[in-house]
Amino acid sequence: MKLYHRILIPILLSGGITLNAQEVWKVEECDISENLNAVHFIDNETGWIVGNNGVMLYKSGDSWLVYPKITEEDIHSVFLTGKESGWAVGSKGTILMLEGKDWYSIQSPTRATLYDVSFHDSIHGIAVGANGTILRYDNGIWSKSDNITKGILHSVSSYSGLNFLSGGMEYGSVPILTYDPYGNGFSDIFDPGYVVIKDISMQSGGQGWAVGTAGTLLHFNGTEWNREVLQEKVPTLNSLSFINSSDGIAVGFFGTLLKYTDTGWERVSSPSNVT
């Protein structure tokens, strides 16, 4: 029996890449059954999805095609630096590089699971993961930075030369950190308490958002982080993405979909009940 994995895709009725009040989500099916962990688009036509057991999918016209497997490890994050360049990271320190049309396995300085990767430009990047692991990429070389926490670093978002790191740990807290590898090093800027921050997104203008367990939503106004109060309770939020400071989405458990506009966060209808 053929198994299918269902993918949520926003159909934008007004055209373009922006999210708006007319957006409608539909479910697309692809010929795999593994969990899909991350997606990244560089433009409307160029995107990749990564998942467990080395699964990688790429957008081709109106279809998602399966890329030939080059690893059996779970892949947790993908970040494109161009239409034919990018990086992916995963379990056991897996690092993959996109060059042209092909992905290649790159020697890693760690065996720790890597959960996220972000690049400031094509030659400067950061990957983060289990046991406080932080890897730094400079001009073709990945190197390991000093650990500053024993917790899991789930996310990194690069903006204006700074890297914002987030995560959590059992029976403890991991503050949202800034990391300047070429200047002041690490700084603690906000302690969310006993909340695991699952994703963080910085936008132009120095603002940003973070999401986490128990429906946590945090906003950075350029100076400090504050908790956002929603009109209704939502479950754990795992990921968020912004096109600009007033246009974004957040997703989480049970198919939860939130949309952000100038008027704030609003829960929107979801055709799925999966995380």
Side-chain angles (χ1 to χ4, degrees):
M1 181 179 67
K2 184 175 290 186
L3 298 176
Y4 291 91
H5 195 102
R6 311 180 83 198
I7 305 175
L8 288 179
I9 300 293
I11 303 303
L12 309 178
L13 299 183
S14 65
I17 196 170
T18 58
L19 301 173
N20 54 71
Q22 296 185 52
E23 103 185 1
V24 177
W25 290 85
K26 76 170 186 178
V27 177
E28 293 190 353
E29 294 184 340
C30 59
D31 195 9
I32 60 170
S33 59
E34 288 83 356
N35 285 347
L36 302 177
N37 299 322
V39 57
H40 194 221
F41 273 78
I42 196 71
D43 57 35
N44 281 349
E45 305 298 326
T46 309
W48 285 83
I49 293 174
V50 296
N52 287 0
N53 300 315
V55 164
M56 307 183 85
L57 306 171
Y58 63 95
K59 195 72 163 57
S60 177
D62 294 330
S63 302
W64 286 97
L65 304 181
V66 180
Y67 184 80
K69 188 177 293 190
I70 61 172
T71 179
E72 296 294 331
E73 301 299 335
D74 296 342
I75 309 175
H76 294 293
S77 179
V78 58
F79 190 97
L80 301 177
T81 56
K83 290 178 72 70
E84 296 185 345
S85 60
W87 297 88
V89 299
S91 59
K92 297 182 181 178
T94 297
I95 299 176
L96 306 175
M97 178 183 69
L98 175 64
E99 190 172 66
K101 301 292 185 181
D102 298 314
W103 286 91
Y104 301 92
S105 182
I106 302 299
Q107 185 174 356
S108 175
T110 184
R111 292 285 292 170
T113 293
L114 300 172
Y115 288 106
D116 199 17
V117 60
S118 181
F119 271 68
H120 174 62
D121 54 39
S122 61
I123 59 174
H124 299 99
I126 299 289
V128 298
N131 305 316
T133 298
I134 301 173
L135 302 185
R136 170 177 156 184
Y137 181 84
D138 289 297
N139 295 309
I141 299 175
W142 285 97
S143 58
K144 192 173 184 295
S145 298
D146 293 337
N147 291 42
I148 60 170
T149 177
K150 295 181 180 179
I152 297 174
L153 294 174
H154 287 285
S155 182
V156 55
S157 182
S158 300
Y159 171 74
S160 190
L162 284 178
N163 301 282
F164 289 74
L165 316 179
S166 62
M169 61 190 300
E170 191 173 9
Y171 307 119
S173 64
V174 174
I176 296 176
L177 307 164
T178 60
Y179 175 42
D180 178 5
Y182 310 104
N184 298 322
F186 294 96
S187 299
D188 297 358
I189 58 173
F190 183 74
D191 187 348
Y194 295 98
V195 170
V196 177
I197 300 300
K198 305 299 288 292
D199 199 12
I200 189 168
S201 177
M202 305 303 297
Q203 296 97 49
S204 60
Q207 297 195 54
W209 290 90
V211 296
T213 51
T216 298
L217 263 168
L218 305 174
H219 178 238
F220 185 66
N221 60 14
T223 303
E224 61 183 359
W225 288 91
N226 294 288
R227 296 180 185 274
E228 186 81 355
V229 179
L230 299 177
Q231 294 182 351
E232 61 177 305
K233 288 186 177 181
V234 297
T236 290
L237 299 169
N238 289 324
S239 183
L240 77 165
S241 182
F242 276 76
I243 295 169
N244 54 54
S245 60
S246 61
D247 201 345
I249 55 174
V251 299
F253 277 40
F254 313 118
T256 299
L257 291 168
L258 302 179
K259 178 181 63 179
Y260 183 81
T261 64
D262 288 329
T263 60
W265 288 97
E266 176 188 4
R267 193 165 186 169
V268 297
S269 177
S270 173
S272 174
N273 61 2
V274 300
T275 297

